Amino acid sequence: MSGRIAVFGAGYVGLVTGACFADLGHRVVLRDVLPEKIEVLRRGEIPIYEPGLDALVERNRDRLTFTTEVAEAVDGADFVYVAVGTPPTYSGDADLSAVWRVVDELPALDRRIVLVMKSTVPVGTGDKVRAALDARGLTNVGYVSNPEFLAEGTALHDFMSPDRVVVGAFDPADAGVVAELYATLTAPIVRTDVSSAEMIKMASNAFLSTRISFINEIANVCELVGADVTAVAEGMGLDHRLGRHFLKAGIGFGGSCFPKDISALKQLAGNSGYHFQLLSSVIEVNELQKRRVIGKLQKHLGDLRQRRVALLGLAFKPGTDDMREAPSLVLASRLLAEAAEVRTWDPVASAEHLLPAATQCPTVEKAVEGADAAVIVTEWPELADLARAEIRDLMARPLIIDGRNLLDPEQVRRAGFAYECIGRPSQTAAAPGYSAE
Ligand SMILES: NC(=O)c1ccc[n+]([C@@H]2O[C@H](COP(=O)([O-])OP(=O)(O)OC[C@H]3O[C@@H](n4cnc5c(N)ncnc54)[C@H](O)[C@@H]3O)[C@@H](O)[C@H]2O)c1
């Protein structure tokens, strides 16, 4: 069945959802409140960096339109998808103001439509939206929770080949028509009640975050006892009960989802009378993990005052320009607080507004020139050959802190660098020609 779909919110999720549904044969109207974003899209440009999205939008131009107008978006629509942001508030709860704006702006219609929640919202939101719709007499508006699990950088693949599609509804008929939208995909459809669908999303992100904080703590212990966390993770991951995913030690997770979603779940539990102790630890471990790089730098450089440090990679992970909750921001801010000089490089992300005191460089070479240390913050493939003579000769001191275990330790050391990584045996003796002052 092909339907007419209005998607509210033309961000990472809304754009991908809209373009993918168009590719599946549906007619899609994307609505955003930012006129400049809609202008850019109408010109055929893509306002975010997501591999393959420009080509997908171009290929489906006939089935995709863009507007700022609610009336134009819902005109003839069978589904109104909500893909607006739900950022954290100061209290750690999710800010649902954009979601409520969509609900409040929904006009009364003389036909049945289904309001579908793609945004990540706390458990109980669906109940509140249903009550609000009923209070307005909009009983012909169905409500379905259809959370999104895509990851930036692989978003198109994740949407088109999901592990599962979760559909939580009050009315089985609404669940049926939403499930039908995905009929051509091979993914299993998990049909459930609205609250459980909301919890599947929150619990999934919380569990993935927990795995990351767990392996990061294992890495920290590995450093103390001389084990290699990459070998440990490999050996653990082969156990089918554990699996290999999300067992990569590093400098902690960031991004627009994990930090805010686990915080929202922790707050939701707290607001409901339960202290979610494990999640509190997951959050704390992650915060401390980002800061451990500072200790590694101090081990080699001593006082960081006036030391030049190159942060390589700004985005919270490769394949995206998303800077939300990026560990690079915490790292840069800590370094600046130590009065270090911070140079940055990223192939697509920019932090000029977020980190005005840091100098953003157009190339890796420029960033490391005269640097006392280079820190791999994001494992961009461009950094895989960082440990080469040209880089070593450009630096004031050949020191690499590999926050993502991207490089081969032996090779880096052979190339004459002092090297620190995460949870793998680190070199204690200085590299030839290198001395910490
Ligand atoms: N980014 C991800 O990787 C990801 C993955 C899964 C789920 N999610 C969830 O999806 C939701 C959207 O995330 P995102 O990263 O796409 O956010 P985003 O900030 O990139 O995009 C949100 C868009 O919504 C627009 N908007 C705000 N109010 C609006 C309104 N009333 N009508 C229309 N548009 C409006 C904003 O202008 C913005 O363009 C969040 O709840 C997020 O947690 C995100």
Side-chain angles (χ1 to χ4, degrees):
M1 173 192 138
S2 88
R4 282 179 72 93
I5 301 173
V7 179
F8 279 54
Y12 288 86
V13 168
L15 269 175
V16 170
T17 300
C20 288
F21 272 143
D23 206 49
L24 293 176
H26 308 290
R27 298 199 71 80
V28 176
V29 184
L30 269 153
R31 187 256 173 165
D32 205 285
V33 283
L34 300 177
E36 59 276 17
K37 203 172 234 188
I38 294 302
E39 273 315 305
V40 164
L41 287 162
R42 281 181 174 155
R43 283 204 303 272
E45 295 161 26
I46 304 297
I48 56 166
Y49 176 77
E50 179 60 45
L53 185 58
D54 44 0
L56 190 72
V57 168
E58 187 50 43
R59 192 163 77 227
N60 290 286
R61 208 137 264 294
D62 292 350
R63 283 190 290 268
L64 270 173
T65 46
F66 307 100
T67 183
T68 53
E69 300 303 318
V70 174
E72 193 183 331
V74 299
D75 183 31
D78 306 299
F79 304 91
V80 172
Y81 264 80
V82 184
V84 298
T86 49
T89 59
Y90 288 121
S91 63
D93 296 274
D95 177 355
L96 297 182
S97 53
V99 168
W100 282 112
R101 185 164 164 193
V102 177
V103 175
D104 293 343
E105 285 181 338
L106 210 59
L109 297 165
D110 55 8
R111 61 177 199 286
R112 187 160 184 85
I113 59 161
V114 185
L115 185 65
V116 191
M117 190 60 66
K118 264 254 171 265
S119 296
T120 305
V121 294
V123 182
T125 303
D127 284 335
K128 291 179 187 150
V129 173
R130 180 70 270 160
L133 293 170
D134 292 344
R136 281 182 58 203
L138 299 182
T139 48
N140 60 349
V141 178
Y143 183 89
V144 168
S145 167
N146 175 212
E148 183 49 59
F149 298 92
L150 65 78
E152 289 170 20
T154 52
L156 304 189
H157 168 270
D158 296 347
F159 190 97
M160 291 302 204
S161 309
D163 293 334
R164 76 304 206 187
V165 173
V166 174
V167 178
F170 296 108
D171 181 332
D174 293 335
V177 287
V178 171
E180 192 62 26
L181 292 174
Y182 297 91
T184 51
L185 307 182
T186 49
I189 308 271
V190 180
R191 286 214 201 183
T192 180
D193 58 281
V194 171
S195 294
S196 302
E198 293 166 340
M199 186 55 108
I200 289 170
K201 173 65 192 177
M202 295 190 99
S204 299
N205 275 1
F207 192 63
L208 292 171
S209 311
T210 303
R211 284 178 70 108
I212 298 173
S213 277
F214 180 84
I215 200 67
N216 281 340
E217 289 223 278
I218 293 291
N220 299 343
V221 179
C222 282
E223 284 179 12
L224 296 173
V225 298
D228 180 336
V229 75
T230 51
V232 172
E234 170 81 13
M236 286 171 65
L238 286 171
D239 186 327
H240 75 276
R241 296 167 303 176
L242 300 176
R244 318 167 79 113
H245 295 292
F246 288 77
L247 286 181
K248 256 186 102 200
I251 55 170
F253 56 81
S256 64
C257 290
F258 286 0
K260 91 168 164 65
D261 292 350
I262 53 174
S263 165
L265 180 52
K266 182 189 155 182
Q267 296 309 327
L268 174 75
N271 298 342
S272 315
Y274 182 72
H275 175 53
F276 206 142
Q277 203 170 337
L278 179 60
L279 277 192
S280 302
S281 300
V282 169
I283 293 165
E284 193 185 357
V285 167
N286 195 50
E287 283 313 308
L288 294 174
Q289 196 69 13
K290 296 180 215 168
R291 289 161 170 77
R292 281 176 69 85
V293 169
I294 303 295
K296 289 177 190 286
L297 284 166
Q298 283 165 335
K299 174 178 153 192
H300 287 260
L301 302 177
D303 188 354
L304 298 180
R305 199 176 152 73
Q306 291 180 343
R307 299 293 192 202
R308 182 181 289 183
V309 180
L311 296 185
L312 305 178
L314 287 167
F316 82 94
K317 66 173 192 176
T320 182
D321 60 350
D322 200 341
M323 285 297 298
R324 288 177 285 187
E325 303 282 338
S328 63
L329 296 172
V330 173
L331 210 47
S333 306
R334 278 291 301 113
L335 287 168
L336 291 167
E338 296 289 329
E341 186 194 337
V342 177
R343 300 265 172 120
T344 67
W345 166 86
D346 193 285
V348 293
S350 165
E352 268 161 12
H353 299 300
L354 296 165
L355 295 169
T359 307
Q360 184 147 355
C361 302
T363 61
V364 173
E365 290 75 11
K366 273 267 166 259
V368 302
E369 203 171 27
D372 296 292
V375 182
I376 298 179
V377 183
T378 314
E379 64 275 39
W380 284 104
E382 289 91 326
L383 298 173
D385 67 344
L386 183 69
R388 57 187 195 276
E390 181 198 0
I391 296 291
R392 189 192 58 219
D393 296 344
L394 278 170
M395 294 179 74
R397 292 153 200 266
L399 168 61
I400 294 177
I401 311 286
D402 185 352
R404 299 294 178 183
N405 289 342
L406 179 68
L407 309 181
D408 172 23
E410 268 325 301
Q411 204 187 325
V412 181
R413 284 163 199 153
R414 270 203 309 274
F417 289 87
Y419 181 66
E420 293 276 341
C421 41
I422 309 289
R424 296 190 289 180
S426 93
Q427 172 185 282
T428 42
Y434 165 82
S435 70
E437 283 166 12

